[in-house]
Amino acid sequence: MPSYKLSVNDQNHTVEVDKGTSLLWVLREHLGLTGTKYGCGIAQCGACTIHVDNTPMKACVLSVEDFSNGEKIKTIEGLSEKGDHPLQKAWVEVQAPQCGYCHSGQIMQAAALLENTSSPSTEEIKVHMNGNICRCGTYLRIIKAIQLAAQSQ
């Protein structure tokens, strides 16, 4: 079985998995980082959003062998050591989640936006968040949380 070296949340890991194994399953099953969720398996819902070199990507369609060249992978667990990233705090304050299943992916997508745009307009937020689905429909609270987080950064 091949061995892959990954940099995840500023820690180096070596995993032995079959070629073609989804990065999502490596994160969840081999590294125990279960904050990244499985939603659809075809990169349509965004529940599995992570950052690779600060770019949001859908982990369910990424193969582990594509990420052993030193790329920096960040999951929701790596966003903030104490869970106090401005987005995480804003999410709680505006009560953005209902069931909560999609929200780690939502927060990771939003974090990428705020890395590049310190004060996004409502339209910029909508466009950037378009690939992340909330089955409970809490979109207005998600937008409000992103705006609140942008103000507190």
Side-chain angles (χ1 to χ4, degrees):
M1 191 171 301
S3 177
Y4 301 97
K5 294 179 193 276
L6 303 172
S7 174
V8 181
N9 298 334
D10 296 322
Q11 294 182 358
N12 293 321
H13 300 274
T14 301
V15 294
E16 290 184 11
V17 295
D18 292 328
K19 184 177 179 183
T21 301
S22 165
L23 183 59
L24 172 64
W25 297 121
V26 170
L27 295 171
R28 289 183 58 79
E29 302 296 325
H30 297 274
L31 300 182
L33 300 170
T34 58
T36 305
K37 305 298 185 199
Y38 174 82
C40 66
I42 56 172
Q44 296 297 301
C45 74
C48 66
T49 303
I50 59 168
H51 294 177
V52 177
D53 293 334
N54 298 317
T55 300
M57 299 181 124
K58 309 299 193 282
C60 69
V61 294
L62 303 174
S63 293
V64 66
E65 63 266 16
D66 296 330
F67 296 93
S68 58
N69 296 316
E71 295 88 352
K72 302 283 185 196
I73 299 166
K74 185 185 297 182
T75 68
I76 189 75
E77 292 91 347
L79 191 61
S80 168
E81 219 174 277
K82 297 178 183 176
D84 60 356
H85 185 279
L87 280 165
Q88 292 168 312
K89 290 165 65 173
W91 238 253
V92 171
E93 187 171 330
V94 304
Q95 299 178 355
Q98 190 164 324
C99 82
Y101 195 81
C102 70
H103 288 279
S104 58
Q106 298 274 1
I107 290 170
M108 292 303 286
Q109 186 74 14
L113 172 63
L114 295 183
E115 284 288 320
N116 298 314
T117 309
S118 61
S119 185
S121 68
T122 300
E123 188 59 31
E124 288 173 312
I125 293 170
K126 287 179 181 179
V127 167
H128 186 80
M129 299 300 292
N130 192 38
N132 289 70
I133 296 170
C134 175
R135 291 180 182 146
C136 298
T138 66
Y139 297 111
L140 295 178
R141 287 183 274 172
I142 290 168
I143 292 168
K144 186 176 179 181
I146 294 169
Q147 291 169 331
L148 181 61
Q151 291 170 2
S152 67
Q153 285 192 348

